[in-house]
Amino acid sequence: MLERNGFVESRHIGSAVVLDAAGEIAIAVGSPELPVYPRSCMKPFQALAVLESGVDLDPVQTVLATASHAATPEHVRVVDSILEKGGLDADDLGCPPDWPGDSAARDGVIRAHGHKERILMNCSGKHAAMLLACVKNGWDTASYLDPEHPLQQRILAVVERETGEPVVHSGVDGCGAPVHAMSLVALARGIGRLRRASEGPAKQLTESILANGWAIDGPGRANTVVIDRLGVVAKLGAEGVMVMATPDGASVALKMLDGSLRAATVVALELLARHGSVTREQVAELIPELDLAVYGGSSLVGAIRISPTL
């Protein structure tokens, strides 16, 4: 809930689930068995399919393949390096042009009289990695976003394998790639499996994320803070979706029904604290870094807080 001057101004409603290290439901809120679009929370499975297709990515490139990045100059450099491996360039990307999510990076583009570009879109790393997989396997690059493309069929198979559920509906994500609806239980199961992997591409993906938290989001941004401070794999998705997976093997997936992400991180951490996968002291130390403050002018007048009804 959002509290302003001691008055509850807004409330967020949603569903969530926490799975333990055995993949069993430990906490359920709302209706986590109902399907949702995972949006960018599906990126780890897309990245896993790319890695399993035989591409060679270094740790930072691996993270950009699963990132919703802020398009800092360093992010853009890494995306460029993925494209270069396949003899590709930014014009080959199928994601829409966009401005950087990082305010300083955006200001820099504007000062340089720049414009929206495909490589600046937060999904450009995923798209670059997909294109590289196509080059590696001799698949057509122009149609790589078609649901019937060999790469997209491979991604669909990986999603179903890792989540343990058949896909019930598919659509088109904001970046133009296919997105597959799944229950929050399935989403949490899949992220948990990736976190617990002891070998192969899944382990490569998890270790790369934990070692390069800045790359999956951006300095000072929520996913990066959680990864760097807690060693928790965290991935946001548009329209209020969030997943996290902890060192003890637990995982959480949630969906805010109003589509807002502003409370998603703190709710996910609260549920993990209730399960005992992170401590309340760890969460309390992180709160000041999560952009939860509410201002009236320049004065602090409230905050986004956990509702007692959660």
Side-chain angles (χ1 to χ4, degrees), residues 25-197:
I25 296 177
I27 301 172
V29 179
S31 302
E33 74 282 0
L34 297 180
V36 302
Y37 280 137
R39 303 298 298 271
S40 285
C41 291
M42 202 178 81
K43 283 178 178 174
F45 309 122
Q46 293 166 319
L48 180 60
V50 165
L51 292 171
E52 290 182 353
S53 74
V55 301
D56 177 26
L57 297 177
D58 68 31
V60 179
Q61 291 171 331
T62 298
V63 182
L64 261 294
T66 196
S68 296
H69 65 80
T72 66
E74 186 61 14
H75 285 118
V76 175
R77 185 196 67 76
V78 179
V79 177
D80 259 330
S81 72
I82 297 172
L83 291 169
E84 288 172 4
K85 280 191 170 185
L88 302 155
D89 60 38
D91 290 336
D92 295 304
L93 295 169
C95 54
D98 205 353
W99 297 105
D102 179 80
S103 58
R106 178 170 179 155
D107 289 348
V109 171
I110 293 172
R111 282 195 298 269
H113 304 289
H115 50 80
K116 292 181 178 181
E117 297 184 49
R118 296 181 189 276
I119 201 168
L120 300 178
M121 200 264 176
N122 76 86
C123 300
S124 65
K126 176 183 80 174
H127 283 255
M130 286 181 174
L131 284 165
L132 180 59
C134 293
V135 172
K136 173 72 176 180
N137 289 276
W139 299 328
D140 181 56
T141 56
S143 62
Y144 78 99
L145 297 179
D146 188 317
E148 299 304 317
H149 190 280
L151 173 65
Q152 299 304 332
Q153 288 295 299
R154 176 168 292 194
I155 290 170
L156 175 59
V158 168
V159 167
E160 294 187 328
R161 183 191 75 204
E162 294 300 313
T163 65
E165 288 186 7
V167 166
V168 298
H169 183 79
S170 298
V172 181
D173 211 333
C175 68
V179 61
H180 306 300
M182 63 188 72
S183 72
L184 291 173
V185 176
L187 183 56
R189 183 186 299 124
I191 294 298
R193 284 178 175 172
L194 289 177
R195 183 68 173 86
R196 295 189 297 271

